[in-house]
Amino acid sequence: MPEQSTEIKKKRIFSAIQPTGVFTLGNYIGAIRSWDTLQKEFECIYAIADLHAITVMQEPSALRQNTMRAFALMLACGMDPEKSITFVQSRNPHHAELSWVLSCSTMFGELNRMTQFKDKSAKHSDNINAGLFTYPVLMAADILAYNADLVPIGADQKQHLELARNIAIRFNQRYGDTFTVPDGYFPKQGARLMSLQDPTKKMSKSDENANACVYILDDKDTILRKFRRAVTDSDAEVVFREGKDGINNLMTIYGAVTGKTMEEIEAEFAGKGYGDFKTAVGEAVADHLEPVRTEYARLIADKAYLTQCIDTGSEQAYRITRKTLSKVFRKVGFIDRK
Ligand code: ATP
Ligand code: LTN
Protein backbone atom coordinates (compact mmCIF):
# COMPACT_ATOMS: atom_id res chain seq x y z
CA MET A 1 0.00 0.00 0.00
CA PRO A 2 1.39 3.46 -0.83
CA GLU A 3 2.41 5.40 2.22
CA GLN A 4 0.09 8.27 2.95
CA SER A 5 1.69 11.69 2.77
CA THR A 6 1.91 13.18 6.24
CA GLU A 7 2.92 16.55 4.90
CA ILE A 8 0.42 19.24 5.80
CA LYS A 9 0.36 22.35 3.66
CA LYS A 10 1.92 25.20 5.61
CA LYS A 11 -0.18 28.29 6.18
CA ARG A 12 0.91 31.27 4.13
CA ILE A 13 1.80 34.61 5.74
CA PHE A 14 1.95 37.98 4.00
CA SER A 15 2.95 41.31 5.45
CA ALA A 16 4.57 44.55 4.36
CA ILE A 17 6.02 47.75 5.71
CA GLN A 18 6.39 51.14 4.05
CA PRO A 19 9.84 52.59 3.34
CA THR A 20 8.86 55.94 4.84
CA GLY A 21 11.86 56.16 7.16
CA VAL A 22 13.86 54.17 9.69
CA PHE A 23 11.59 51.69 11.46
CA THR A 24 10.51 52.63 14.95
CA LEU A 25 10.40 50.53 18.06
CA GLY A 26 6.61 50.48 17.42
CA ASN A 27 7.03 48.89 13.98
CA TYR A 28 9.50 46.43 15.42
CA ILE A 29 7.60 45.27 18.47
CA GLY A 30 4.14 45.69 16.95
CA ALA A 31 4.87 43.87 13.71
CA ILE A 32 8.32 42.96 12.43
CA ARG A 33 9.48 41.00 15.44
CA SER A 34 6.63 38.54 14.94
CA TRP A 35 7.48 38.22 11.23
CA ASP A 36 10.74 36.61 12.26
CA THR A 37 9.10 34.12 14.64
CA LEU A 38 6.51 33.15 12.04
CA GLN A 39 9.22 32.14 9.55
CA LYS A 40 9.97 29.10 11.65
CA GLU A 41 6.52 27.63 11.16
CA PHE A 42 4.95 29.09 8.04
CA GLU A 43 5.54 29.98 4.43
CA CYS A 44 6.23 33.72 4.69
CA ILE A 45 6.20 36.50 2.12
CA TYR A 46 7.39 39.94 3.20
CA ALA A 47 7.46 43.14 1.16
CA ILE A 48 8.67 46.70 1.32
CA ALA A 49 5.54 48.65 0.36
CA ASP A 50 6.95 51.43 -1.83
CA LEU A 51 3.71 51.77 -3.84
CA HIS A 52 1.95 52.66 -0.58
CA ALA A 53 4.70 55.11 0.37
CA ILE A 54 3.94 57.51 -2.52
CA THR A 55 0.45 58.22 -1.12
CA VAL A 56 2.33 60.92 0.80
CA MET A 57 4.90 63.21 -0.84
CA GLN A 58 8.29 61.54 -1.29
CA GLU A 59 11.52 62.95 -2.64
CA PRO A 60 12.34 60.39 -5.43
CA SER A 61 16.02 59.92 -4.57
CA ALA A 62 15.18 59.63 -0.87
CA LEU A 63 12.49 57.03 -1.59
CA ARG A 64 14.94 54.94 -3.60
CA GLN A 65 17.47 55.12 -0.79
CA ASN A 66 14.88 54.45 1.90
CA THR A 67 13.61 51.41 0.02
CA MET A 68 17.09 49.86 -0.01
CA ARG A 69 17.54 50.78 3.65
CA ALA A 70 14.16 49.35 4.62
CA PHE A 71 14.96 46.15 2.77
CA ALA A 72 18.32 45.85 4.57
CA LEU A 73 16.59 46.60 7.85
CA MET A 74 14.01 43.90 7.22
CA LEU A 75 16.81 41.37 6.73
CA ALA A 76 18.67 42.73 9.78
CA CYS A 77 15.51 42.10 11.84
CA GLY A 78 15.81 38.43 10.96
CA MET A 79 13.97 37.94 7.70
CA ASP A 80 15.89 35.31 5.79
CA PRO A 81 15.68 35.32 1.97
CA GLU A 82 16.58 31.63 2.01
CA LYS A 83 13.54 30.77 4.12
CA SER A 84 11.02 33.41 3.08
CA ILE A 85 10.21 35.49 0.05
CA THR A 86 11.49 39.03 0.64
CA PHE A 87 10.93 41.64 -2.07
CA VAL A 88 9.93 45.15 -3.07
CA GLN A 89 6.24 45.71 -3.89
CA SER A 90 6.69 47.82 -7.05
CA ARG A 91 8.84 45.08 -8.57
CA ASN A 92 5.78 42.86 -8.88
CA PRO A 93 3.27 44.59 -11.22
CA HIS A 94 0.44 42.27 -10.15
CA HIS A 95 -0.18 44.27 -6.96
CA ALA A 96 -1.25 47.35 -8.90
CA GLU A 97 -3.17 45.32 -11.49
CA LEU A 98 -5.19 43.43 -8.91
CA SER A 99 -5.77 46.61 -6.98
CA TRP A 100 -7.70 48.05 -9.94
CA VAL A 101 -9.92 44.99 -10.23
CA LEU A 102 -10.59 44.96 -6.49
CA SER A 103 -11.35 48.67 -6.42
CA CYS A 104 -14.39 47.82 -8.55
CA SER A 105 -15.57 45.53 -5.73
CA THR A 106 -14.98 48.13 -3.02
CA MET A 107 -17.58 50.68 -2.04
CA PHE A 108 -16.81 54.39 -1.71
CA GLY A 109 -18.55 54.39 1.68
CA GLU A 110 -16.29 51.64 2.98
CA LEU A 111 -13.16 53.59 2.12
CA ASN A 112 -14.64 56.74 3.53
CA ARG A 113 -14.87 55.12 6.96
CA MET A 114 -11.15 54.32 7.21
CA THR A 115 -9.64 56.15 10.15
CA GLN A 116 -6.12 56.12 8.69
CA PHE A 117 -7.43 58.06 5.67
CA LYS A 118 -8.99 60.62 7.97
CA ASP A 119 -5.80 60.92 10.04
CA LYS A 120 -3.48 61.13 7.05
CA SER A 121 -5.64 63.61 5.16
CA ALA A 122 -5.69 65.85 8.21
CA LYS A 123 -1.91 65.58 8.43
CA HIS A 124 -1.31 66.13 4.70
CA SER A 125 -4.15 68.53 3.90
CA ASP A 126 -2.25 69.90 0.88
CA ASN A 127 -2.08 66.46 -0.77
CA ILE A 128 -5.29 64.49 -0.27
CA ASN A 129 -4.76 62.39 -3.38
CA ALA A 130 -6.90 59.51 -4.67
CA GLY A 131 -4.16 57.01 -3.78
CA LEU A 132 -4.41 57.96 -0.13
CA PHE A 133 -8.11 57.15 -0.34
CA THR A 134 -7.71 53.83 -2.19
CA TYR A 135 -4.66 52.78 -0.15
CA PRO A 136 -6.60 49.98 1.62
CA VAL A 137 -7.59 48.43 -1.72
CA LEU A 138 -3.93 48.13 -2.68
CA MET A 139 -3.27 46.58 0.71
CA ALA A 140 -6.09 44.09 0.06
CA ALA A 141 -4.52 43.30 -3.32
CA ASP A 142 -1.14 42.69 -1.64
CA ILE A 143 -2.69 40.13 0.66
CA LEU A 144 -5.22 38.48 -1.66
CA ALA A 145 -2.81 38.11 -4.60
CA TYR A 146 -0.89 35.57 -2.53
CA ASN A 147 -3.98 33.96 -0.96
CA ALA A 148 -2.39 34.59 2.42
CA ASP A 149 -3.97 32.87 5.42
CA LEU A 150 -2.49 35.14 8.07
CA VAL A 151 -1.38 38.77 8.12
CA PRO A 152 0.84 39.90 11.02
CA ILE A 153 0.17 43.60 11.63
CA GLY A 154 -0.04 46.15 14.41
CA ALA A 155 -3.43 47.00 15.90
CA ASP A 156 -3.62 50.20 13.81
CA GLN A 157 -4.05 48.11 10.65
CA LYS A 158 -7.00 46.07 11.92
CA GLN A 159 -9.58 48.13 10.05
CA HIS A 160 -7.70 47.69 6.76
CA LEU A 161 -7.52 43.95 7.24
CA GLU A 162 -11.24 43.80 7.95
CA LEU A 163 -11.82 45.60 4.66
CA ALA A 164 -9.56 43.14 2.81
CA ARG A 165 -11.65 40.30 4.24
CA ASN A 166 -14.88 41.95 3.13
CA ILE A 167 -13.53 42.53 -0.38
CA ALA A 168 -12.47 38.87 -0.61
CA ILE A 169 -15.86 37.63 0.60
CA ARG A 170 -17.72 39.93 -1.78
CA PHE A 171 -15.58 38.92 -4.75
CA ASN A 172 -15.97 35.23 -3.93
CA GLN A 173 -19.75 35.59 -3.69
CA ARG A 174 -19.96 37.43 -6.96
CA TYR A 175 -17.53 35.42 -9.09
CA GLY A 176 -17.15 32.10 -7.26
CA ASP A 177 -14.46 30.95 -4.89
CA THR A 178 -11.27 32.83 -5.79
CA PHE A 179 -9.54 34.28 -2.72
CA THR A 180 -8.57 32.94 0.69
CA VAL A 181 -10.20 35.12 3.35
CA PRO A 182 -7.22 36.20 5.51
CA ASP A 183 -7.03 36.47 9.28
CA GLY A 184 -5.05 39.09 11.17
CA TYR A 185 -2.23 38.06 13.46
CA PHE A 186 -1.63 40.50 16.29
CA PRO A 187 1.32 40.17 18.65
CA LYS A 188 0.33 39.52 22.25
CA GLN A 189 2.71 42.13 23.59
CA GLY A 190 3.02 45.69 22.36
CA ALA A 191 0.55 45.70 19.49
CA ARG A 192 0.34 49.46 19.77
CA LEU A 193 3.19 51.53 21.16
CA MET A 194 2.49 55.18 21.82
CA SER A 195 4.54 58.32 21.22
CA LEU A 196 7.04 59.07 24.02
CA GLN A 197 6.08 62.75 23.84
CA ASP A 198 2.31 62.38 23.56
CA PRO A 199 1.25 58.94 24.82
CA THR A 200 -2.27 59.37 23.47
CA LYS A 201 -0.88 59.24 19.89
CA LYS A 202 0.66 56.17 18.25
CA MET A 203 4.42 56.06 17.81
CA SER A 204 4.88 56.78 14.12
CA LYS A 205 8.00 56.92 11.97
CA SER A 206 6.72 59.99 10.18
CA ASP A 207 6.38 62.00 13.42
CA GLU A 208 8.17 65.35 13.09
CA ASN A 209 9.37 65.19 16.69
CA ALA A 210 12.35 62.78 16.73
CA ASN A 211 12.07 62.48 20.53
CA ALA A 212 8.59 60.97 20.14
CA CYS A 213 9.87 57.65 18.89
CA VAL A 214 12.82 55.35 19.20
CA TYR A 215 14.24 54.33 15.83
CA ILE A 216 15.66 50.86 15.75
CA LEU A 217 19.01 52.20 14.55
CA ASP A 218 19.36 54.77 17.36
CA ASP A 219 22.53 54.32 19.40
CA LYS A 220 22.43 53.57 23.10
CA ASP A 221 22.96 57.17 24.27
CA THR A 222 20.15 58.43 22.05
CA ILE A 223 17.80 55.71 23.28
CA LEU A 224 18.60 56.47 26.93
CA ARG A 225 18.08 60.18 26.33
CA LYS A 226 14.72 59.68 24.61
CA PHE A 227 13.42 57.54 27.47
CA ARG A 228 14.69 60.01 30.07
CA ARG A 229 12.64 62.72 28.31
CA ALA A 230 9.53 60.57 27.92
CA VAL A 231 6.34 62.24 29.14
CA THR A 232 4.89 60.58 32.26
CA ASP A 233 2.77 61.96 35.12
CA SER A 234 3.25 63.42 38.57
CA ASP A 235 2.32 60.33 40.69
CA ALA A 236 5.81 58.76 40.77
CA GLU A 237 4.30 55.27 40.93
CA VAL A 238 5.16 52.54 38.41
CA VAL A 239 1.76 50.86 38.08
CA PHE A 240 -0.34 50.00 35.03
CA ARG A 241 -3.55 51.94 35.48
CA GLU A 242 -6.09 53.87 33.46
CA GLY A 243 -5.13 57.51 33.06
CA LYS A 244 -1.37 56.78 33.31
CA ASP A 245 -0.83 56.69 29.52
CA GLY A 246 2.88 57.53 29.62
CA ILE A 247 3.77 54.97 32.30
CA ASN A 248 1.48 52.34 30.74
CA ASN A 249 3.33 52.80 27.46
CA LEU A 250 6.78 52.52 29.07
CA MET A 251 5.66 49.42 30.97
CA THR A 252 4.35 47.90 27.72
CA ILE A 253 7.70 48.58 26.06
CA TYR A 254 9.67 47.18 28.98
CA GLY A 255 7.44 44.08 29.08
CA ALA A 256 7.79 43.56 25.33
CA VAL A 257 11.60 43.57 25.38
CA THR A 258 12.13 41.68 28.66
CA GLY A 259 9.16 39.30 28.54
CA LYS A 260 8.10 40.43 32.03
CA THR A 261 4.44 40.78 33.00
CA MET A 262 2.94 44.03 34.29
CA GLU A 263 2.81 42.57 37.83
CA GLU A 264 6.48 41.65 37.69
CA ILE A 265 7.37 45.13 36.50
CA GLU A 266 5.29 46.76 39.23
CA ALA A 267 7.06 44.61 41.83
CA GLU A 268 10.50 45.36 40.39
CA PHE A 269 9.99 49.13 40.61
CA ALA A 270 7.92 49.35 43.78
CA GLY A 271 9.26 52.24 45.86
CA LYS A 272 11.59 53.42 43.08
CA GLY A 273 11.27 56.69 41.18
CA TYR A 274 10.51 57.28 37.50
CA GLY A 275 14.17 58.11 36.87
CA ASP A 276 15.33 54.57 37.68
CA PHE A 277 12.47 53.08 35.73
CA LYS A 278 13.14 55.15 32.61
CA THR A 279 16.83 54.24 32.67
CA ALA A 280 15.98 50.55 33.01
CA VAL A 281 13.60 50.75 30.04
CA GLY A 282 16.24 52.55 27.96
CA GLU A 283 18.95 50.01 28.84
CA ALA A 284 16.68 47.05 28.06
CA VAL A 285 15.58 48.50 24.71
CA ALA A 286 19.16 49.40 23.68
CA ASP A 287 20.39 45.89 24.50
CA HIS A 288 17.48 44.34 22.65
CA LEU A 289 18.16 46.37 19.49
CA GLU A 290 21.96 46.10 19.47
CA PRO A 291 22.14 42.93 17.28
CA VAL A 292 19.82 44.53 14.69
CA ARG A 293 22.07 47.59 14.45
CA THR A 294 25.19 45.50 13.98
CA GLU A 295 23.62 43.32 11.31
CA TYR A 296 22.21 46.35 9.48
CA ALA A 297 25.65 47.96 9.27
CA ARG A 298 27.00 44.80 7.67
CA LEU A 299 24.15 44.44 5.16
CA ILE A 300 23.87 48.04 4.00
CA ALA A 301 27.53 47.94 2.97
CA ASP A 302 26.77 45.04 0.60
CA LYS A 303 24.58 46.58 -2.15
CA ALA A 304 25.26 43.72 -4.57
CA TYR A 305 23.84 41.18 -2.14
CA LEU A 306 20.77 43.32 -1.41
CA THR A 307 20.06 43.86 -5.12
CA GLN A 308 20.39 40.17 -5.80
CA CYS A 309 17.98 39.33 -2.95
CA ILE A 310 15.44 41.84 -4.26
CA ASP A 311 15.69 40.47 -7.81
CA THR A 312 15.25 36.88 -6.69
CA GLY A 313 12.47 37.63 -4.21
CA SER A 314 10.51 39.75 -6.69
CA GLU A 315 10.71 36.99 -9.30
CA GLN A 316 9.45 34.42 -6.76
CA ALA A 317 6.62 36.73 -5.76
CA TYR A 318 5.65 37.30 -9.41
CA ARG A 319 5.46 33.58 -10.06
CA ILE A 320 2.99 33.08 -7.22
CA THR A 321 0.69 35.98 -8.09
CA ARG A 322 0.64 35.17 -11.82
CA LYS A 323 -1.65 32.24 -11.05
CA THR A 324 -4.03 34.37 -8.99
CA LEU A 325 -4.16 37.09 -11.62
CA SER A 326 -4.96 34.61 -14.43
CA LYS A 327 -7.79 33.23 -12.35
CA VAL A 328 -9.15 36.65 -11.45
CA PHE A 329 -9.02 37.90 -15.04
CA ARG A 330 -10.87 34.81 -16.24
CA LYS A 331 -13.51 35.17 -13.54
CA VAL A 332 -14.27 38.81 -14.25
CA GLY A 333 -14.51 38.14 -18.01
CA PHE A 334 -11.29 39.53 -19.48
CA ILE A 335 -10.13 37.70 -22.59
CA ASP A 336 -7.38 35.12 -22.01
CA ARG A 337 -3.84 36.32 -21.63
CA LYS A 338 -0.89 34.18 -22.64
P1 ATP B 1 3.94 56.09 8.85
O1 ATP B 1 4.34 56.91 10.00
O2 ATP B 1 4.73 56.34 7.60
O3 ATP B 1 2.45 56.05 8.61
P2 ATP B 1 4.11 53.77 10.48
O4 ATP B 1 5.20 54.00 11.45
O5 ATP B 1 2.71 53.92 10.95
O6 ATP B 1 4.34 54.62 9.19
P3 ATP B 1 3.77 51.47 8.75
O7 ATP B 1 4.78 51.26 7.68
O8 ATP B 1 2.48 52.07 8.35
O9 ATP B 1 4.38 52.34 9.93
O10 ATP B 1 3.50 50.12 9.54
C1 ATP B 1 4.31 48.97 9.55
C2 ATP B 1 3.82 47.99 10.60
O11 ATP B 1 4.12 48.48 11.90
C3 ATP B 1 2.30 47.77 10.57
O12 ATP B 1 2.02 46.40 10.77
C4 ATP B 1 1.81 48.58 11.72
O13 ATP B 1 0.62 48.05 12.26
C5 ATP B 1 2.95 48.47 12.70
N1 ATP B 1 3.00 49.63 13.58
C6 ATP B 1 3.17 50.92 13.20
N2 ATP B 1 3.20 51.73 14.25
C7 ATP B 1 3.03 50.95 15.35
C8 ATP B 1 2.96 51.21 16.76
N3 ATP B 1 3.07 52.42 17.24
N4 ATP B 1 2.79 50.18 17.60
C9 ATP B 1 2.68 48.93 17.11
N5 ATP B 1 2.74 48.61 15.81
C10 ATP B 1 2.91 49.60 14.93
N1 LTN C 1 -0.54 49.44 5.25
C1 LTN C 1 0.45 48.73 6.00
C2 LTN C 1 1.63 48.29 5.19
C3 LTN C 1 1.14 47.29 4.25
C4 LTN C 1 0.69 45.98 4.59
C5 LTN C 1 0.30 45.40 3.35
C6 LTN C 1 0.60 45.25 5.78
C7 LTN C 1 1.01 47.44 2.91
N2 LTN C 1 0.51 46.30 2.38
C8 LTN C 1 -0.21 44.11 3.32
C9 LTN C 1 0.08 43.97 5.73
C10 LTN C 1 -0.32 43.41 4.50
C11 LTN C 1 0.90 49.54 7.13
O1 LTN C 1 1.42 48.97 7.97
N3 LTN C 1 0.70 50.79 7.12
Side-chain angles (χ1 to χ4, degrees):
M1 237 176 49
E3 229 177 84
Q4 265 208 321
S5 166
T6 49
E7 203 180 310
I8 300 167
K9 200 171 174 293
K10 281 187 181 176
K11 284 200 173 188
R12 187 177 279 168
I13 310 284
F14 182 92
S15 201
I17 183 162
Q18 302 182 77
T20 38
V22 176
F23 304 164
T24 67
L25 187 63
N27 300 137
Y28 182 66
I29 290 175
I32 299 187
R33 199 169 60 158
S34 66
W35 294 11
D36 181 17
T37 322
L38 290 164
Q39 287 183 119
K40 297 181 182 76
E41 223 181 306
F42 302 106
E43 179 193 357
C44 298
I45 304 166
Y46 295 130
I48 300 302
D50 56 346
L51 296 177
H52 278 102
I54 62 165
T55 54
V56 304
M57 211 64 91
Q58 302 288 338
E59 162 64 39
S61 60
L63 178 62
R64 220 182 320 278
Q65 199 177 38
N66 280 336
T67 301
M68 287 306 274
R69 287 182 179 161
F71 188 80
L73 211 40
M74 172 166 77
L75 301 197
C77 288
M79 270 25 83
D80 180 353
E82 300 287 324
K83 273 194 223 148
S84 304
I85 297 179
T86 51
F87 74 107
V88 173
Q89 188 189 28
S90 64
R91 292 285 304 275
N92 180 357
H94 292 148
H95 294 246
E97 268 185 281
L98 182 59
S99 179
W100 172 254
V101 176
L102 296 182
S103 72
C104 299
S105 284
T106 309
M107 299 300 119
F108 181 88
E110 287 179 302
L111 292 175
N112 217 18
R113 284 196 289 276
M114 296 292 120
T115 57
Q116 181 179 293
F117 172 68
K118 289 180 195 152
D119 294 348
K120 289 213 172 173
S121 31
K123 212 161 152 191
H124 306 278
S125 55
D126 55 338
N127 183 23
I128 308 177
N129 61 79
L132 195 61
F133 189 66
T134 57
Y135 175 117
V137 184
L138 178 60
M139 180 162 160
D142 294 342
I143 300 165
L144 303 183
Y146 297 87
N147 283 307
D149 299 289
L150 283 179
V151 184
I153 38 175
D156 62 302
Q157 295 298 312
K158 214 172 194 160
Q159 201 184 24
H160 289 165
L161 184 79
E162 202 50 46
L163 179 68
R165 288 172 55 86
N166 289 339
I167 295 173
I169 293 168
R170 186 173 304 135
F171 192 98
N172 288 348
Q173 276 168 352
R174 197 157 175 192
Y175 298 105
D177 221 13
T178 311
F179 296 118
T180 303
V181 180
D183 284 313
Y185 178 96
F186 303 95
K188 284 183 206 75
Q189 279 180 319
R192 189 169 156 86
L193 296 193
M194 309 310 275
S195 154
L196 297 185
Q197 291 300 311
D198 177 358
T200 58
K201 268 183 22 199
K202 91 163 187 162
M203 187 185 283
S204 168
K205 59 175 132 61
S206 53
D207 202 312
E208 278 110 49
N209 184 350
N211 284 323
C213 60
V214 171
Y215 300 104
I216 66 174
L217 295 177
D218 281 348
D219 60 30
K220 188 165 187 167
D221 286 349
T222 308
I223 294 177
L224 287 170
R225 181 169 42 78
K226 287 182 178 175
F227 279 109
R228 265 200 304 274
R229 290 189 186 165
V231 169
T232 49
D233 51 54
S234 50
D235 303 347
E237 213 189 344
V238 181
V239 287
F240 197 94
R241 197 170 54 214
E242 206 176 319
K244 288 175 72 73
D245 295 333
I247 288 295
N248 293 350
N249 189 37
L250 295 184
M251 287 178 74
T252 303
I253 294 173
Y254 191 62
V257 296
T258 59
K260 292 178 184 166
T261 64
M262 294 303 135
E263 293 74 40
E264 285 168 340
I265 301 170
E266 286 176 2
E268 185 178 346
F269 295 97
K272 290 189 188 149
Y274 284 171
D276 288 349
F277 176 53
K278 286 176 170 181
T279 305
V281 180
E283 295 270 355
V285 167
D287 290 349
H288 194 74
L289 295 179
E290 179 58 32
V292 175
R293 237 162 48 94
T294 313
E295 184 60 3
Y296 175 79
R298 192 184 69 78
L299 285 163
I300 202 65
D302 194 349
K303 287 272 154 28
Y305 173 70
L306 294 174
T307 308
Q308 184 222 315
C309 289
I310 294 173
D311 289 349
T312 310
S314 304
E315 181 60 36
Q316 290 170 322
Y318 184 86
R319 264 189 266 127
I320 295 180
T321 51
R322 196 170 49 189
K323 294 199 191 84
T324 317
L325 266 285
S326 300
K327 193 167 174 185
V328 168
F329 278 22
R330 214 170 343 102
K331 296 241 178 190
V332 300
F334 296 161
I335 60 170
D336 284 344
R337 51 157 81 179
K338 282 274 165 271

